[in-house]
Amino acid sequence: MSLVAHTELPTFRRLREEGQEILSVERARHQDIREMHIGLLNMMPDSALEATERQFFRLVGAANPIVQFHMHPFTIEGIQRSEQAQNHIDRYYETFGQIKRDGLDGLIVSGANVTHPHLPEEAFWQPLTEVFDWAKQNVTSILCSCLATHALFQYCHGVERTHLGFKRWGVYSHRVVERRHPLVADINTRFDVPHSRYNEIFREDMEAAGLKVLVESEEAGVHLAVSPDLFRVVYFQGHPEYDTISLLKEYKREVMRHYYGEREDYPPFPEHYFNLDVGGVLNEYGQHLRSARRLGKTPPEFPEEEVIRHLDNTWRDTAKAVFNNWLGCIYQVTDQDRRKPFMDHIDPDNPLGLRI
């Protein structure tokens, strides 16, 4: 149905300006429609904090179930914040204490930037595992994105992700490999997903831990898998939430890192993302930028608007369909009291009745 703007979070205004239906609290009160409460643990760095809100809110708000969605963003300790980002969090985000007190029907956990070779060395590891421990007992389903997938898999199964030795970066073709699962019901059997990561959990590691792989790519590996109970944890290694320009922003950031000497090599293009016209424009820009770097001149203006005109989004419709299926499955089994993860007759170890 619709997102309910139950706070003054600017993301609601931005999504309304995009044309998405956003209900006021007053209007929501006059609708005899069930509420669902979805948490967003947002661990992204300051530069992507609000964009990540919009991306996940947009996917939830596009779902079809006849439900009013209340979104509850929160974050954890151990992530460095600027004063501006911390003010945003203090004003618009809930605390984990509030989340635990009031409960959630579903929880989305974003990716994060890391600074150590092993995830348990990160300052946010202990706070993150506390959220995992609570959610596994009290939330109907947890949906993990990229790094969150790697962290929860390691925490639950003791298997560390593998560094690829390069960055898996681009938009890759995927296919559904288990069509009977309701998360992938009635979606395209082949579709694209963006990836942006240096690490991977391989299919054989997932299957050894009892996970069920639903979607994978010949180039990019597993994208979508579920926990052994087939629903309580949903693992994404890709980024179906990405905007059309997300990879462009990452590419621009890496280009400027090269200019300022933060990386020695000039970044390659994200794979299968730019067409030949864009490639020509960016190759020419790269020549001018490298020349400016050598001569100590100001970098030329990045041709962002020219590039954006040529970018295609080949993943959003399928991403919306998968989120719609996820939320619909939660709706079928969660209790109306959001502090209880399931209705009384639901088996927590087989919530969708899929295991034989």
Side-chain angles (χ1 to χ4, degrees):
M1 181 60 181
S2 302
L3 294 173
V4 178
H6 60 101
T7 71
E8 296 299 318
L9 184 71
T11 282
F12 291 123
R13 173 180 52 78
R14 287 284 297 272
L15 294 180
R16 186 180 286 116
E17 289 171 354
E18 291 178 7
Q20 189 154 340
E21 184 175 13
I22 305 293
L23 294 180
S24 66
V25 172
E26 181 64 24
R27 184 179 170 195
R29 287 198 189 104
H30 289 84
Q31 292 185 336
D32 187 17
I33 296 175
R34 181 177 171 181
E35 297 178 1
M36 278 178 58
H37 295 264
I38 307 298
L40 171 61
L41 172 51
N42 192 350
M43 302 188 295
M44 292 298 286
D46 297 354
S47 60
L49 186 73
E50 293 185 54
T52 300
E53 289 170 16
R54 292 192 296 273
Q55 289 163 3
F56 283 114
F57 280 37
R58 189 183 293 119
L59 287 173
V60 172
N64 288 326
I66 306 301
V67 171
Q68 293 175 353
F69 291 109
H70 293 246
M71 298 296 295
H72 300 273
F74 68 106
T75 192
I76 51 176
E77 298 294 325
I79 301 172
Q80 276 197 323
R81 296 296 184 193
S82 66
E83 181 179 357
Q84 181 179 358
Q86 191 59 53
N87 288 339
H88 179 83
I89 290 167
D90 292 342
R91 181 174 181 182
Y92 300 116
Y93 280 33
E94 300 177 32
T95 66
F96 182 42
Q98 290 172 299
I99 296 292
K100 290 192 292 185
R101 180 195 67 204
D102 297 334
L104 294 171
D105 297 300
L107 172 63
I108 300 166
V109 187
S110 81
N113 278 0
V114 297
T115 57
H116 295 80
H118 304 288
L119 291 178
E121 298 171 353
E122 298 292 337
F124 62 73
W125 177 261
Q126 183 60 35
L128 178 59
T129 60
E130 291 175 8
V131 174
F132 285 158
D133 285 337
W134 172 80
K136 285 188 295 180
Q137 297 297 319
N138 296 281
V139 178
T140 306
S141 184
I142 309 167
L143 188 151
C144 296
S145 173
C146 200
L147 178 128
T149 282
H150 297 168
L152 185 51
F153 186 77
Q154 180 173 348
Y155 185 60
C156 291
H157 302 288
V159 179
E160 192 169 8
R161 62 190 185 160
T162 299
H163 196 285
L164 294 169
F166 62 93
K167 187 174 185 179
R168 177 86 68 202
W169 194 27
V171 178
Y172 301 93
S173 177
H174 294 66
R175 60 185 297 270
V176 177
V177 295
E178 177 48 77
R179 301 184 184 185
R180 294 171 295 178
H181 196 284
L183 282 180
V184 292
D186 298 322
I187 71 169
N188 295 338
T189 57
R190 184 173 289 278
F191 56 91
D192 291 339
V193 182
H195 288 255
S196 181
R197 53 187 168 82
Y198 289 95
N199 299 273
E200 185 164 335
I201 302 172
F202 297 110
R203 181 185 182 123
E204 52 266 32
D205 293 327
M206 291 186 174
E207 292 182 335
L211 273 62
K212 185 70 172 178
V213 173
L214 304 183
V215 175
E216 67 178 346
S217 165
E218 293 179 0
E219 283 188 87
V222 173
H223 164 55
L224 171 58
V226 289
S227 49
D229 55 68
L230 302 179
F231 186 58
R232 298 296 305 279
V233 184
V234 177
Y235 295 99
F236 285 146
Q237 282 204 105
H239 286 283
E241 79 281 4
Y242 267 12
D243 294 325
T244 306
I245 62 173
S246 295
L247 287 172
L248 174 62
K249 296 288 189 181
E250 289 186 23
Y251 177 75
K252 178 181 178 181
R253 182 189 66 207
E254 294 304 307
V255 165
M256 298 314 298
R257 288 185 65 229
H258 172 75
Y259 173 82
Y260 289 111
E262 297 171 11
R263 63 176 291 168
E264 188 57 34
D265 64 314
Y266 197 85
F269 292 157
E271 295 184 289
H272 317 303
Y273 180 55
F274 297 139
N275 63 23
L276 291 177
D277 291 334
V278 170
V281 169
L282 292 177
N283 281 330
E284 182 179 354
Y285 173 80
Q287 293 174 8
H288 294 310
L289 184 87
R290 287 189 288 267
S291 175
R293 183 183 184 222
R294 287 193 306 270
L295 300 173
K297 294 183 176 180
T298 302
E301 183 177 356
F302 189 83
E304 187 166 324
E305 291 304 318
E306 185 176 356
V307 170
I308 287 174
R309 292 198 300 269
H310 293 276
L311 296 180
D312 293 314
N313 189 306
T314 58
W315 60 88
R316 181 168 293 164
D317 286 350
T318 305
K320 288 178 180 179
V322 173
F323 265 73
N324 179 55
N325 290 343
W326 178 62
L327 294 163
C329 288
I330 293 174
Y331 180 85
Q332 293 173 33
V333 299
T334 193
D335 197 273
Q336 292 207 31
D337 181 350
R338 58 176 158 141
R339 293 168 297 181
K340 295 176 59 178
F342 296 106
M343 292 181 282
D344 290 338
H345 68 281
I346 298 297
D347 179 2
D349 295 322
N350 187 21
L352 299 183
L354 300 175
R355 296 178 63 188
I356 299 175

CSV table of all heavy atoms in Angstrom, one decimal, residues 139-168:
chain,number,residue,atom,x,y,z
A,139,VAL,N,12.1,-11.0,15.5
A,139,VAL,CA,11.6,-10.4,14.2
A,139,VAL,C,11.3,-11.5,13.3
A,139,VAL,O,12.1,-12.5,13.2
A,139,VAL,CB,12.7,-9.5,13.6
A,139,VAL,CG1,12.3,-8.9,12.3
A,139,VAL,CG2,13.0,-8.3,14.6
A,140,THR,N,10.3,-11.4,12.5
A,140,THR,CA,9.8,-12.4,11.6
A,140,THR,C,10.9,-12.8,10.6
A,140,THR,O,11.2,-14.0,10.3
A,140,THR,CB,8.5,-12.0,10.9
A,140,THR,OG1,7.6,-11.6,11.9
A,140,THR,CG2,8.0,-13.1,10.0
A,141,SER,N,11.5,-11.8,9.9
A,141,SER,CA,12.5,-12.0,8.9
A,141,SER,C,13.5,-10.9,8.9
A,141,SER,O,13.1,-9.7,9.0
A,141,SER,CB,11.8,-12.2,7.6
A,141,SER,OG,12.8,-12.6,6.6
A,142,ILE,N,14.8,-11.2,8.7
A,142,ILE,CA,15.9,-10.2,8.6
A,142,ILE,C,16.4,-10.3,7.1
A,142,ILE,O,16.7,-11.4,6.6
A,142,ILE,CB,17.0,-10.6,9.5
A,142,ILE,CG1,16.6,-10.8,10.9
A,142,ILE,CG2,18.1,-9.5,9.4
A,142,ILE,CD1,17.6,-11.4,11.8
A,143,LEU,N,16.4,-9.1,6.5
A,143,LEU,CA,16.9,-9.0,5.1
A,143,LEU,C,18.3,-8.3,5.2
A,143,LEU,O,18.3,-7.1,5.6
A,143,LEU,CB,15.9,-8.3,4.2
A,143,LEU,CG,16.2,-8.3,2.7
A,143,LEU,CD1,14.9,-8.2,1.9
A,143,LEU,CD2,17.1,-7.1,2.3
A,144,CYS,N,19.3,-9.0,4.7
A,144,CYS,CA,20.7,-8.4,4.8
A,144,CYS,C,21.2,-8.0,3.4
A,144,CYS,O,21.0,-8.8,2.5
A,144,CYS,CB,21.6,-9.5,5.4
A,144,CYS,SG,21.3,-9.9,7.1
A,145,SER,N,21.9,-6.9,3.4
A,145,SER,CA,22.5,-6.4,2.1
A,145,SER,C,24.0,-6.4,2.2
A,145,SER,O,24.6,-5.9,3.1
A,145,SER,CB,22.0,-4.9,1.9
A,145,SER,OG,22.7,-4.4,0.8
A,146,CYS,N,24.6,-7.1,1.3
A,146,CYS,CA,26.0,-7.1,1.0
A,146,CYS,C,26.9,-7.4,2.3
A,146,CYS,O,26.9,-8.5,2.8
A,146,CYS,CB,26.5,-5.8,0.4
A,146,CYS,SG,28.1,-5.9,-0.5
A,147,LEU,N,27.5,-6.4,2.9
A,147,LEU,CA,28.3,-6.6,4.1
A,147,LEU,C,27.5,-7.2,5.2
A,147,LEU,O,28.1,-8.1,5.9
A,147,LEU,CB,29.0,-5.3,4.5
A,147,LEU,CG,29.9,-5.5,5.8
A,147,LEU,CD1,31.3,-5.0,5.6
A,147,LEU,CD2,29.2,-4.9,7.0
A,148,ALA,N,26.3,-6.8,5.4
A,148,ALA,CA,25.5,-7.4,6.4
A,148,ALA,C,25.3,-8.9,6.2
A,148,ALA,O,25.3,-9.7,7.2
A,148,ALA,CB,24.1,-6.7,6.5
A,149,THR,N,25.2,-9.3,5.0
A,149,THR,CA,25.1,-10.7,4.6
A,149,THR,C,26.4,-11.4,5.1
A,149,THR,O,26.4,-12.5,5.7
A,149,THR,CB,24.9,-10.9,3.1
A,149,THR,OG1,23.6,-10.7,2.8
A,149,THR,CG2,25.3,-12.3,2.7
A,150,HIS,N,27.6,-10.9,4.8
A,150,HIS,CA,28.8,-11.5,5.2
A,150,HIS,C,29.0,-11.5,6.7
A,150,HIS,O,29.5,-12.5,7.2
A,150,HIS,CB,30.0,-10.7,4.5
A,150,HIS,CG,30.0,-10.7,3.1
A,150,HIS,ND1,30.8,-9.9,2.3
A,150,HIS,CD2,29.3,-11.5,2.2
A,150,HIS,CE1,30.6,-10.1,1.0
A,150,HIS,NE2,29.7,-11.1,0.9
A,151,ALA,N,28.6,-10.5,7.4
A,151,ALA,CA,28.7,-10.4,8.8
A,151,ALA,C,27.8,-11.4,9.5
A,151,ALA,O,28.2,-12.2,10.4
A,151,ALA,CB,28.4,-9.0,9.3
A,152,LEU,N,26.5,-11.5,9.1
A,152,LEU,CA,25.6,-12.4,9.8
A,152,LEU,C,26.0,-13.9,9.4
A,152,LEU,O,25.9,-14.8,10.3
A,152,LEU,CB,24.2,-12.1,9.4
A,152,LEU,CG,23.1,-13.0,10.1
A,152,LEU,CD1,23.3,-12.9,11.6
A,152,LEU,CD2,21.7,-12.5,9.7
A,153,PHE,N,26.4,-14.1,8.2
A,153,PHE,CA,26.8,-15.5,7.8
A,153,PHE,C,28.0,-15.9,8.7
A,153,PHE,O,28.0,-17.1,9.2
A,153,PHE,CB,27.2,-15.6,6.4
A,153,PHE,CG,27.4,-16.9,5.9
A,153,PHE,CD1,26.4,-17.8,5.6
A,153,PHE,CD2,28.8,-17.4,5.7
A,153,PHE,CE1,26.7,-19.1,5.2
A,153,PHE,CE2,29.0,-18.6,5.2
A,153,PHE,CZ,28.0,-19.5,5.0
A,154,GLN,N,29.0,-15.1,8.9
A,154,GLN,CA,30.1,-15.4,9.7
A,154,GLN,C,29.7,-15.6,11.1
A,154,GLN,O,30.2,-16.5,11.8
A,154,GLN,CB,31.2,-14.3,9.6
A,154,GLN,CG,32.4,-14.7,10.4
A,154,GLN,CD,33.6,-13.7,10.2
A,154,GLN,OE1,33.6,-12.9,9.2
A,154,GLN,NE2,34.6,-13.8,11.1
A,155,TYR,N,28.9,-14.7,11.6
A,155,TYR,CA,28.4,-14.8,13.0
A,155,TYR,C,27.6,-16.1,13.3
A,155,TYR,O,27.8,-16.7,14.4
A,155,TYR,CB,27.6,-13.6,13.4
A,155,TYR,CG,27.2,-13.5,14.8
A,155,TYR,CD1,28.2,-13.4,15.8
A,155,TYR,CD2,25.9,-13.4,15.2
A,155,TYR,CE1,27.8,-13.3,17.2
A,155,TYR,CE2,25.5,-13.3,16.5
A,155,TYR,CZ,26.5,-13.3,17.5
A,155,TYR,OH,26.1,-13.2,18.9
A,156,CYS,N,26.8,-16.4,12.4
A,156,CYS,CA,25.9,-17.6,12.6
A,156,CYS,C,26.6,-18.9,12.3
A,156,CYS,O,26.3,-19.9,12.9
A,156,CYS,CB,24.6,-17.5,11.8
A,156,CYS,SG,23.5,-16.2,12.3
A,157,HIS,N,27.5,-18.9,11.3
A,157,HIS,CA,28.0,-20.2,10.8
A,157,HIS,C,29.5,-20.3,10.9
A,157,HIS,O,30.1,-21.4,10.6
A,157,HIS,CB,27.6,-20.4,9.3
A,157,HIS,CG,26.1,-20.4,9.1
A,157,HIS,ND1,25.3,-21.4,9.5
A,157,HIS,CD2,25.3,-19.4,8.6
A,157,HIS,CE1,24.0,-21.1,9.2
A,157,HIS,NE2,24.0,-19.9,8.7
A,158,GLY,N,30.2,-19.3,11.4
A,158,GLY,CA,31.6,-19.3,11.6
A,158,GLY,C,32.5,-19.4,10.4
A,158,GLY,O,33.6,-19.8,10.4
A,159,VAL,N,31.9,-19.0,9.2
A,159,VAL,CA,32.7,-19.0,8.0
A,159,VAL,C,32.9,-17.6,7.5
A,159,VAL,O,32.0,-16.8,7.3
A,159,VAL,CB,31.9,-19.8,6.9
A,159,VAL,CG1,32.7,-19.8,5.6
A,159,VAL,CG2,31.6,-21.2,7.3
A,160,GLU,N,34.2,-17.3,7.3
A,160,GLU,CA,34.6,-15.9,6.9
A,160,GLU,C,34.5,-15.8,5.4
A,160,GLU,O,34.8,-16.7,4.7
A,160,GLU,CB,36.0,-15.6,7.4
A,160,GLU,CG,36.4,-14.2,7.3
A,160,GLU,CD,37.8,-13.9,8.0
A,160,GLU,OE1,38.4,-14.9,8.5
A,160,GLU,OE2,38.1,-12.7,8.1
A,161,ARG,N,34.1,-14.6,5.0
A,161,ARG,CA,34.1,-14.3,3.6
A,161,ARG,C,35.5,-14.4,2.9
A,161,ARG,O,36.5,-14.3,3.7
A,161,ARG,CB,33.4,-13.0,3.3
A,161,ARG,CG,34.2,-11.8,3.9
A,161,ARG,CD,33.5,-10.5,3.9
A,161,ARG,NE,34.3,-9.4,4.4
A,161,ARG,CZ,34.1,-8.2,4.1
A,161,ARG,NH1,33.0,-7.8,3.4
A,161,ARG,NH2,34.8,-7.2,4.6
A,162,THR,N,35.5,-14.6,1.6
A,162,THR,CA,36.8,-14.7,0.9
A,162,THR,C,37.1,-13.4,0.1
A,162,THR,O,36.2,-12.9,-0.6
A,162,THR,CB,36.8,-15.9,-0.1
A,162,THR,OG1,36.6,-17.1,0.7
A,162,THR,CG2,38.1,-16.0,-0.8
A,163,HIS,N,38.3,-12.8,0.3
A,163,HIS,CA,38.7,-11.7,-0.5
A,163,HIS,C,39.0,-12.1,-1.9
A,163,HIS,O,39.7,-13.1,-2.1
A,163,HIS,CB,39.9,-11.0,0.1
A,163,HIS,CG,40.1,-9.6,-0.4
A,163,HIS,ND1,40.6,-9.3,-1.7
A,163,HIS,CD2,39.9,-8.4,0.2
A,163,HIS,CE1,40.7,-8.0,-1.9
A,163,HIS,NE2,40.2,-7.4,-0.8
A,164,LEU,N,38.4,-11.4,-2.9
A,164,LEU,CA,38.5,-11.8,-4.3
A,164,LEU,C,39.8,-11.4,-4.9
A,164,LEU,O,40.2,-11.9,-6.0
A,164,LEU,CB,37.3,-11.2,-5.1
A,164,LEU,CG,35.9,-11.7,-4.8
A,164,LEU,CD1,34.9,-10.9,-5.4
A,164,LEU,CD2,35.8,-13.2,-5.2
A,165,GLY,N,40.5,-10.5,-4.3
A,165,GLY,CA,41.7,-9.9,-4.9
A,165,GLY,C,41.4,-8.8,-5.9
A,165,GLY,O,42.4,-8.3,-6.5
A,166,PHE,N,40.2,-8.5,-6.1
A,166,PHE,CA,39.8,-7.4,-7.0
A,166,PHE,C,38.4,-7.0,-6.6
A,166,PHE,O,37.8,-7.6,-5.7
A,166,PHE,CB,39.7,-7.9,-8.5
A,166,PHE,CG,38.8,-9.0,-8.7
A,166,PHE,CD1,37.5,-8.7,-9.2
A,166,PHE,CD2,39.1,-10.3,-8.5
A,166,PHE,CE1,36.6,-9.8,-9.4
A,166,PHE,CE2,38.2,-11.4,-8.8
A,166,PHE,CZ,37.0,-11.1,-9.2
A,167,LYS,N,37.9,-5.9,-7.2
A,167,LYS,CA,36.5,-5.4,-6.9
A,167,LYS,C,35.5,-6.0,-7.8
A,167,LYS,O,35.6,-5.8,-9.0
A,167,LYS,CB,36.5,-3.9,-6.8
A,167,LYS,CG,35.2,-3.3,-6.3
A,167,LYS,CD,35.2,-1.8,-6.2
A,167,LYS,CE,34.0,-1.3,-5.5
A,167,LYS,NZ,34.0,0.2,-5.4
A,168,ARG,N,34.5,-6.7,-7.3
A,168,ARG,CA,33.4,-7.1,-8.1
A,168,ARG,C,32.5,-5.9,-8.2
A,168,ARG,O,31.8,-5.5,-7.3
A,168,ARG,CB,32.7,-8.3,-7.4
A,168,ARG,CG,31.4,-8.8,-8.2
A,168,ARG,CD,31.8,-9.8,-9.2
A,168,ARG,NE,32.2,-11.0,-8.6
A,168,ARG,CZ,33.0,-11.9,-9.3
A,168,ARG,NH1,33.4,-11.7,-10.5
A,168,ARG,NH2,33.4,-13.0,-8.7
